[in-house]
Amino acid sequence: MFTLRATPLLGTYRGHRPDATPETIPSVARLHAALLCAAGFGPRAVAGEDGWVPCEADEAALRWVEENPPTEMRIPQLRVSRQDAVAYRNDGTIGPVGGARGIRTLAKHESVTAVDGPFTWTWREPPPEPVAEALRALCPDVPHLGTAECPVTMEAAEDDPEPTHVLDREAMPFSGGPGTMLDVPAPGRLDELVEAHRLRRTGRLGSDRAGSSERSASPVPPRGAVRPAMYRPAGRTVAEVPWPEVLLVPLDRRIHERDRVRWCVAAHKALIKMLDAAAPPLLTGVYPDPGTRPANRLALQILDRDVPARLPAGARSALAVLLPPAAPSELELIYRAVAALRNLTVGRRRGEAGEHARQARVSGAVEVVHGDALWLEPAPGTVRVWRSDPPAVPDTRGQRGWTFTHAALLSLGFVWQGSGIARVHGRGAERDHALVDAVNAAGAVVLRTDPVRRSTVQHYAHHVHHDAVVRPYRVALGLGQLGGPCTVQAIGQSRHLGGGLLVPLDVAEGSPVPEHPW
Amino acid sequence: MSSIIGLEDLLAACRSGGASCLTSVTELAPAAGSHASVAPAKFAVRNSDVGTYAYETRFDGGVAADAVVIDSKQSQNNRCEQGLVAAIVDGHDVLSRLPRVAVSYRVGDRVVELSDLELPHRVFDGHIRAATISGAPLTQDERYRRVRDAHPGDAFALLQTSPASLVFGSWDSSRATRQGRWRSVLVGEIVGFCSGRPEPEGPEPKGPELKGGARIDPLGMRIELTGPALKELADRQRSELSRGTYDKIVKSAGAAKGEQRVKASPVGLGGIPPTLEALAGVACSKIVRSHVLSFAALRQVRFGKGAEGDAACRALLAALALAALARSDGELVLRANCDLVESGPTAVVLHGRGGTQTQLSALSVEEADALLAAALTRAEQEAGVSWNGVVLAVDGDPAILAGAVEDEAGGN
């Protein structure tokens, strides 16, 4: 066991990926580059033909890292802030101002990741002692990771930091499944970076005079010897929950509760259109044999950035694609289609604002999380109950004397039958009562219900039958043994398309649930 | 009682195997008491005339909490530099010897001088690169070429010409190759933990809290002048008004025919009724100022003076950073409505190898200056450092002066 640990001293991490989107986690390639920087410029460097270069021991250690990416990582709790604040800064270069020369002023827009503790990279099999010794000596000479605004202290250790993520050597970029794809250095990375630096130090200057219009020349570091690697959440197996996997697609705008069904329908159509005839029943909901229809199919929900979940970096909201257990071939089609989403567009509504109100752009890379780990853990001293956001719609018209309480319990029964509760047979009232009983036996309890008293029920139901009475309602409930505190669930008729998402509602221990928790 | 950092500590930290960094953390509080709000740094919002504050999420004791940036890293470093500039203006014994490059512009009868302590890109700033020296482009001057060609393997020319560029960071970003890229060895910020950040967009927009503002004119809420009178008034003040404001007043005056009168509010006369349009302050449960001085970053710079000579040069830069920090921390003057006091002593920690930590006391300005003087003497002896004030006095490009617009498109 051998571990490198980086502790951010200001509690933040700032970095950017090659496509200029925020980097939330310092990648292994970035760690390698920081170590190389310390080796090439720090006190261990030795004089070479073209200046200072890493000593033999450090070079060997860095080449060993290229061949042996860390097998485990510990990623602390993170929160990404995307700032609306723009700082206008003197760029220090010259540009035209009103036909004359002037110093350019550019806007600086930033995002920052708050970090609760150190990042660690661990090799379960420790490196050869000379490599370990070199890495131990290099660590204190690493001043920062990411930008210079993120000073760190780095150290090597032999302890076991309890990994949160484990390297999946078999995974490919489209393998899908929960995990974090990170850049790792490939063999040749050291040579590539050293050569790029040499060229920058010795290349032709051209005219050195200040021109009438200048641009910052910032060459992008080469990436020939960088490859992606998947780090999977550690110690996790596929949980027995309605939707074991969630793909989080970051969006560049927020979407009102009353519009979420509509946007999810648009996303659903877009995914089907992309796959065309190859769209699996998992996505379309059209099963060749109705008898084989599972309890849940793919569900689409919108997560607002205020909910207690870790959305992808910089996202204002996220489209959550909830995947039920399915064949790998079907899941792979969904991964590919979701990865190809670039934007979403909804149709115009009467009186609605301009074009921009009807479009949402995918603002970064899709991230995958376990369905039983979507929500952040409740804060200490609180009890987690749940509220529907947006409102749910009953799955059936119900039975004589039924209330929204029955409707909510029945909806939970539809979601969990076959996994959390036994599959129920029969039809009509017999089946409905059996489901409610099973859900009650699992400890679910409805705490509050509140009907939505407005006529625009289309906001909350994607399909309204001409003769049907649709009654959206809000509900607060406890889920007993139906899932854990971080499990994603949605209930009701529109649970597959933007309705009835159950969002955590954390109440201080000993306090009553608020009268109107929505 | 813990001791203060001394020259031998700095030298040890700057040698191979030395400490990683020094951190300095202070809890602050509103001067008026915990009930008072503070005015954080104000930022622009893209495509909007309304300003905003920079809100972030930070962890405080393991719990994610809303925080507002009261002073950014860039601003904190600028305050450090302002402290050095003020000491130089006051004729400080040691800091007056700080090498710098100064560019001067002739504005009417005045000469405006800006040094690398005031220009954002320091010695590589466009103002300096476009300047001339004895009529020839500065970029052709051998002394400046040595500065531009300095690199981490030998930064002695930069140490002798613009040490501020090494301490606070600089980037020769427009050069095709051999760019000087120097990270700041001192970084820091002030953040305030708060709750209820505004949500300027989204499903249920919640704008920032606003405060009212009004102006009372003792002579009357409305003061009106004839067109010629207003124009004459504007002409008398022309040298004090921006081009845009002057043009606006003249246009308004020209629209008033004969005895017709127009409002004199553009020249600051008359009252303004109360309106809610200025950003209100932010109540913070805790305010923290943090700085990190990185010895690891300093050790990545060499000066061609051998191990001891290089360590002495690095220690000199570290001492300069500490002298600047002591000045910045010593004057808690950020902006109006943001008067802060220290609510406890500054926690200074030297982070050594293997996770070791040494608690130190914060340096006073006098102690920091004594350390800088000692470090300069050591660097003179060990590395032949010679600091003698302004190294290069250069003439600014008049074309840039002509291109400077009076009304910025945005600011913060």
Side-chain angles (χ1 to χ4, degrees):
Chain A
M1 175 92 49
F2 182 78
T3 295
L4 298 182
R5 178 183 293 118
T7 306
L9 292 167
L10 293 178
T12 51
Y13 176 70
R14 294 171 204 257
H16 290 95
R17 289 192 283 238
D19 64 357
T21 56
E23 182 183 76
T24 315
I25 300 161
S27 68
V28 183
R30 193 179 282 278
L31 170 72
H32 179 270
L35 290 167
L36 171 59
C37 190
F41 297 129
R44 289 169 62 81
V46 293
E49 282 179 21
D50 292 317
W52 295 88
V53 294
C55 67
E56 211 171 297
D58 291 353
E59 195 179 315
L62 290 163
R63 290 193 196 284
W64 183 86
V65 173
E66 293 169 6
E67 301 278 354
N68 300 277
T71 49
E72 296 167 2
M73 274 187 78
R74 179 164 184 77
I75 300 170
Q77 257 200 97
L78 307 172
R79 289 291 174 88
V80 178
S81 303
R82 180 192 163 117
Q83 294 193 356
D84 301 310
V86 176
Y88 286 93
R89 301 219 168 272
N90 186 328
D91 188 46
T93 58
I94 298 166
V97 177
R101 294 166 88 178
I103 304 299
R104 298 197 319 161
T105 302
L106 292 181
K108 185 178 176 191
H109 206 99
E110 282 193 340
S111 76
V112 59
T113 303
V115 181
D116 185 25
F119 292 96
T120 67
W121 296 264
T122 297
W123 288 262
R124 188 60 46 188
E125 286 295 319
E129 187 45 37
V131 169
E133 194 183 326
L135 293 175
R136 263 185 229 116
L138 276 178
C139 279
D141 287 328
V142 173
H144 63 271
L145 280 178
T147 69
E149 289 162 71
C150 310
V152 295
T153 51
M154 273 204 73
E155 57 184 336
E158 269 75 37
D159 58 0
D160 185 354
E162 197 182 341
T164 58
H165 289 74
V166 176
L167 175 66
D168 179 352
R169 293 181 184 280
E170 310 301 322
M172 303 292 287
F174 286 105
S175 294
T180 300
M181 196 66 90
L182 293 176
D183 283 343
V184 297
R189 179 64 171 160
L190 182 142
D191 297 327
E192 180 178 71
L193 289 176
V194 167
E195 178 60 10
H197 174 70
R198 192 188 65 76
L199 286 174
R200 273 183 229 156
R201 281 251 39 95
T202 57
R204 278 190 64 238
L205 277 174
S207 168
D208 230 0
R209 296 179 65 164
S212 59
S213 181
E214 297 179 332
R215 290 274 162 196
S216 294
S218 182
V220 178
R223 291 178 49 78
V226 171
R227 65 182 176 81
M230 176 68 89
Y231 283 82
R232 304 276 190 200
R236 305 292 300 269
T237 52
V238 175
E240 280 205 24
V241 295
W243 292 279
E245 271 180 38
V246 183
L247 315 185
L248 293 176
V249 184
L251 301 178
D252 69 343
R253 55 162 292 170
R254 303 181 70 183
I255 293 167
H256 197 286
E257 173 206 89
R258 65 170 175 266
D259 292 323
R260 291 190 190 148
V261 167
R262 178 183 175 214
W263 279 89
C264 290
V265 169
H268 188 232
K269 285 179 178 167
L271 291 174
I272 290 177
K273 191 174 175 187
M274 249 182 261
L275 291 173
D276 200 14
L282 170 74
L283 178 62
T284 61
V286 180
Y287 288 82
D289 175 6
T292 61
R293 190 190 298 265
N296 297 295
R297 55 186 171 86
L298 176 144
L300 298 166
Q301 293 285 345
I302 300 288
L303 301 186
D304 193 78
R305 75 172 174 195
D306 288 340
V307 297
R310 191 176 302 138
L311 301 193
R316 294 189 188 281
S317 67
L319 172 71
V321 182
L322 281 52
L323 296 174
S329 57
E330 280 190 278
L331 291 175
E332 190 175 331
L333 283 170
I334 303 296
Y335 297 141
R336 284 177 185 275
V338 171
L341 272 180
R342 290 291 171 269
N343 53 53
L344 299 175
T345 307
V346 293
R348 185 185 295 277
R349 252 186 205 158
R350 186 182 302 170
E352 196 163 58
E355 206 64 14
H356 68 279
R358 299 192 294 115
Q359 284 194 343
R361 207 166 51 83
V362 175
S363 58
V366 176
E367 292 184 12
V368 191
V369 295
H370 275 292
D372 64 342
L374 175 74
W375 304 112
L376 301 177
E377 291 281 349
T382 62
V383 175
R384 177 155 287 181
V385 293
W386 304 82
R387 64 185 173 87
S388 57
D389 179 25
V393 173
D395 285 275
T396 70
R397 279 183 292 173
Q399 308 303 326
R400 180 185 296 274
W402 274 43
T403 62
F404 283 126
T405 296
H406 294 93
L409 294 173
L410 178 63
S411 291
L412 275 174
F414 281 133
V415 169
W416 281 96
Q417 65 174 330
S419 53
I421 57 173
R423 185 167 282 280
V424 170
H425 300 286
R427 298 179 65 79
E430 183 191 0
R431 178 200 62 176
D432 291 355
H433 283 295
L435 279 171
V436 168
D437 288 347
V439 169
N440 272 328
V445 54
V446 175
L447 304 166
R448 299 258 188 280
T449 60
D450 195 4
V452 176
R453 300 182 191 280
R454 61 175 66 157
S455 58
T456 50
V457 293
Q458 301 91 321
H459 289 169
Y460 306 114
H462 61 278
H463 182 71
V464 182
H465 191 275
H466 186 263
D467 298 322
V469 176
V470 178
R471 299 188 63 197
Y473 68 104
R474 300 179 193 274
V475 61
L477 37 75
L479 289 171
Q481 296 147 34
L482 299 178
C486 307
T487 303
V488 63
Q489 305 188 43
I491 58 171
Q493 191 201 96
S494 294
R495 69 184 183 276
H496 296 127
L497 288 171
L501 180 68
L502 297 184
V503 173
L505 171 66
D506 293 345
V507 180
E509 276 174 14
S511 301
V513 176
E515 281 288 331
H516 292 285
W518 20 79
Chain B
M1 188 172 165
S2 49
S3 57
I4 58 170
I5 195 163
L7 178 58
E8 290 308 319
D9 301 316
L10 278 191
L11 287 165
C14 290
R15 290 187 193 112
S16 177
S20 288
C21 60
L22 179 141
T23 55
S24 167
V25 179
T26 317
E27 278 206 31
L28 307 173
S34 57
H35 61 283
S37 66
V38 297
K42 198 170 153 190
F43 295 84
V45 179
R46 201 181 289 274
N47 302 325
S48 169
D49 293 335
V50 181
T52 188
Y53 300 135
Y55 288 93
E56 297 178 356
T57 304
R58 295 291 181 96
F59 286 97
D60 182 23
V63 178
D66 285 343
V68 64
V69 176
I70 292 179
D71 218 36
S72 67
K73 177 237 176 189
Q74 290 79 7
S75 179
Q76 280 286 287
N77 273 3
N78 287 344
R79 291 181 199 286
C80 287
E81 290 172 288
Q82 283 164 13
L84 297 180
V85 169
I88 292 168
V89 170
D90 289 346
H92 188 277
D93 286 351
V94 180
L95 288 170
S96 294
R97 296 169 58 194
L98 187 70
R100 26 197 213 283
V101 177
V103 57
S104 47
Y105 289 101
R106 181 162 290 281
V107 183
D109 296 336
R110 289 182 304 134
V111 173
V112 176
E113 187 178 279
L114 302 167
S115 80
D116 52 8
L117 285 165
E118 291 145 309
L119 296 169
H121 273 227
R122 303 184 174 98
V123 78
F124 303 125
D125 198 273
H127 284 283
I128 291 177
R129 282 183 293 103
T132 55
I133 186 162
S134 303
L138 178 64
T139 49
Q140 306 302 315
D141 186 274
E142 194 49 42
R143 290 166 293 177
Y144 190 64
R145 291 195 72 81
R146 279 200 295 274
V147 169
R148 293 192 88 178
D149 290 340
H151 55 90
D154 185 357
F156 195 68
L158 201 43
L159 177 73
Q160 291 275 70
T161 311
S162 174
S165 297
L166 287 170
V167 171
F168 302 108
S170 52
W171 179 20
D172 196 2
S173 63
S174 63
R175 212 179 192 198
T177 185
R178 278 177 258 180
Q179 292 184 350
R181 290 170 174 239
W182 307 95
R183 61 151 282 176
S184 47
V185 297
L186 180 69
V187 296
E189 63 180 6
I190 303 176
V191 297
F193 289 92
C194 58
S195 62
R197 67 166 79 180
E199 200 56 73
E201 54 166 307
E204 281 148 19
K206 187 181 83 166
E209 300 287 335
L210 299 175
K211 65 178 179 183
R215 200 173 77 84
I216 295 172
D217 190 317
L219 278 185
M221 280 301 279
R222 197 172 167 96
I223 294 180
E224 296 176 340
L225 300 172
T226 61
L230 180 60
K231 176 155 189 320
E232 190 187 330
L233 201 156
D235 284 338
R236 282 206 304 272
Q237 298 183 10
R238 187 166 186 176
S239 62
E240 306 296 321
L241 299 173
S242 72
R243 191 189 309 164
T245 305
Y246 175 80
D247 291 347
K248 189 175 155 191
I249 297 169
V250 170
K251 189 176 172 189
S252 169
K257 305 293 178 198
E259 288 304 303
Q260 196 180 352
R261 290 168 179 267
V262 289
K263 284 192 292 183
S265 54
V267 286
L269 297 174
I272 300 172
T275 49
L276 280 177
E277 55 185 21
L279 285 172
V282 176
C284 297
S285 55
K286 182 164 128 181
I287 299 173
V288 186
R289 179 182 65 202
S290 318
H291 282 100
V292 180
L293 171 62
S294 176
F295 295 112
L298 280 168
R299 285 195 299 270
Q300 293 192 1
V301 187
R302 287 176 168 76
F303 301 91
K305 301 296 175 186
E308 278 308 299
D310 283 357
C313 293
R314 294 176 195 134
L316 175 58
L317 292 173
L320 177 60
L322 291 172
L325 181 59
R327 284 178 166 74
S328 170
D329 282 359
E331 292 294 343
L332 268 171
V333 181
L334 299 181
R335 63 189 69 85
N337 302 317
C338 192
D339 295 311
L340 300 171
V341 292
E342 294 178 348
S343 56
T346 298
V348 180
V349 177
L350 186 66
H351 297 259
R353 302 263 161 166
T356 59
Q357 296 187 351
T358 308
Q359 311 289 330
L360 299 164
S361 292
L363 291 169
S364 66
V365 171
E366 291 73 25
E367 289 164 341
D369 285 352
L371 182 62
L372 176 64
L376 179 55
T377 303
R378 180 65 70 97
E380 286 169 341
Q381 293 163 354
E382 294 282 344
V385 167
S386 167
W387 280 10
N388 294 304
V390 173
V391 176
L392 287 172
V394 298
D395 301 317
D397 182 349
I400 289 183
L401 185 66
V405 285
E406 288 174 13
D407 297 322
E408 287 287 336
N412 66 313

